[in-house]
Amino acid sequence: MQTFEALLREAEVTHGHLCAGQILGVRMAMLGCERLGIGDPKGLVNPKDRKRLVTFIEIDRCATDAIAVVTGCRLGKRAIKFRDWGKMAATFVDLGSSLSGLPTALAPQLDTPVYKAIRIAALESSKQRARELYPHIENKNQQQMLAYRELPDEDLFSEEWVGVPIHPREMPGYKSARITCQVCGEGINYDREVHHDEKILCVACASPATRYYQPLTKEELATNLKAGMETSPQPACEHC
Ligand SMILES: [Zn+2]
Ligand SMILES: [Zn+2]
């Protein structure tokens, strides 16, 4: 495993700044790898450890980038699974240890293997521990940055062993046929097509009401053209 300091520097470069969230994320991911016995998740010297990890992340905040840096897991490699639960928690899944003899609730389909994983969540009390450790530092980010380096894992995190079902089609490296949506004509990967009224559709065409976007009419576009060109300020980092 790379050292904490080296990983933190990498996280700082990737994320754009150093903050308490980076420190927490680096430590959380290092702990996850340690628990799974994955010493070299990025396969820098031991290629066997590369591709052993899939990480579920329950928040899109500063720590998320740090977790990607430590684990080498990337959204674009399908090795990060984002669950938008707004929780400072992540589950590190070891693809090298599939489990057997589990209740069917865990593996609803026979073709879905269940893997051993460690779920780690940041403790709400960690902020209080930081205050206790550095009461004289008023800046919360500075206070937490110092404390999160030093506090023992058990003061920062709770841990739980869990089983995580991952269907082969959700795995990194899964090859699927590309299907064409019969309405919009766009290509669909990874078996995301929907069979509807004897047609094969993409999700957006099958249920337009659930789209995360809605097409604008010419009139709407013209009215909003000026407003759309104004740039809104970047949201500041939560910790800074
Ligand atoms: Zn940050
Ligand atoms: Zn479509």
Side-chain angles (χ1 to χ4, degrees):
M1 187 63 115
Q2 293 167 273
T3 64
F4 171 72
E5 293 300 333
L7 288 165
L8 200 58
R9 270 195 300 279
E10 242 182 81
E12 181 182 3
V13 171
T14 304
H15 185 61
H17 63 242
L18 193 59
C19 61
Q22 298 299 301
I23 295 172
L24 215 52
V26 167
R27 288 203 53 186
M28 184 186 277
M30 286 182 79
L31 181 62
C33 291
E34 189 190 316
R35 290 290 183 260
L36 296 174
I38 299 178
D40 185 18
K42 290 188 269 193
L44 298 175
V45 280
N46 180 6
K48 270 206 312 207
D49 275 359
R50 207 167 69 90
K51 298 182 178 178
R52 237 182 91 184
L53 205 56
V54 159
T55 307
F56 286 71
I57 304 183
E58 299 179 19
I59 197 159
D60 47 354
R61 238 184 197 178
C62 300
T64 310
D65 285 343
I67 290 169
V69 163
V70 175
T71 59
C73 293
R74 297 281 179 271
L75 191 64
K77 291 181 187 164
R78 311 190 83 213
I80 281 183
K81 309 293 186 192
F82 177 49
R83 295 291 180 271
D84 195 359
W85 291 3
K87 297 176 78 176
M88 186 67 131
T91 298
F92 303 88
V93 185
D94 183 0
L95 299 179
S97 26
S98 58
L99 305 169
S100 55
L102 295 159
T104 46
L106 255 180
Q109 290 136 21
L110 282 173
D111 58 351
T112 305
V114 180
Y115 300 95
K116 190 170 95 172
I118 183 97
R119 182 176 179 275
I120 303 178
L123 290 171
E124 283 304 302
S125 53
S126 62
K127 287 192 173 73
Q128 177 58 31
R129 295 287 293 114
R131 273 194 293 275
E132 287 163 10
L133 204 56
Y134 291 104
H136 54 287
I137 300 178
E138 285 197 9
N139 181 301
K140 286 272 169 289
N141 187 47
Q142 296 298 332
Q143 188 184 61
Q144 289 164 10
M145 288 219 303
L146 279 172
Y148 292 170
R149 281 171 181 268
E150 296 168 22
L151 285 168
D153 290 328
E154 54 271 28
D155 280 354
L156 295 177
F157 306 115
S158 64
E159 304 174 38
E160 186 180 22
W161 286 104
V162 294
V164 177
I166 304 180
H167 191 276
R169 82 166 74 87
E170 309 305 328
M171 292 286 274
Y174 173 71
K175 301 264 185 297
S176 72
R178 198 207 291 271
I179 311 285
T180 305
C181 172
Q182 290 178 347
V183 170
C184 68
E186 293 175 1
I188 311 159
N189 299 282
Y190 300 133
D191 308 343
R192 263 42 173 187
E193 69 273 16
V194 179
H195 294 259
H196 187 74
D197 281 346
E198 292 181 21
K199 276 193 179 138
I200 297 175
L201 305 179
C202 71
V203 172
C205 292
S207 44
T210 65
R211 286 179 190 176
Y212 69 90
Y213 62 91
Q214 295 300 331
L216 296 173
T217 64
K218 270 186 189 158
E219 291 71 32
E220 286 163 340
L221 203 54
T223 321
N224 290 280
L225 194 57
K226 201 165 159 280
M229 283 163 66
E230 285 161 15
T231 50
S232 49
Q234 286 282 311
C237 162
E238 57 171 310
H239 300 287
C240 307

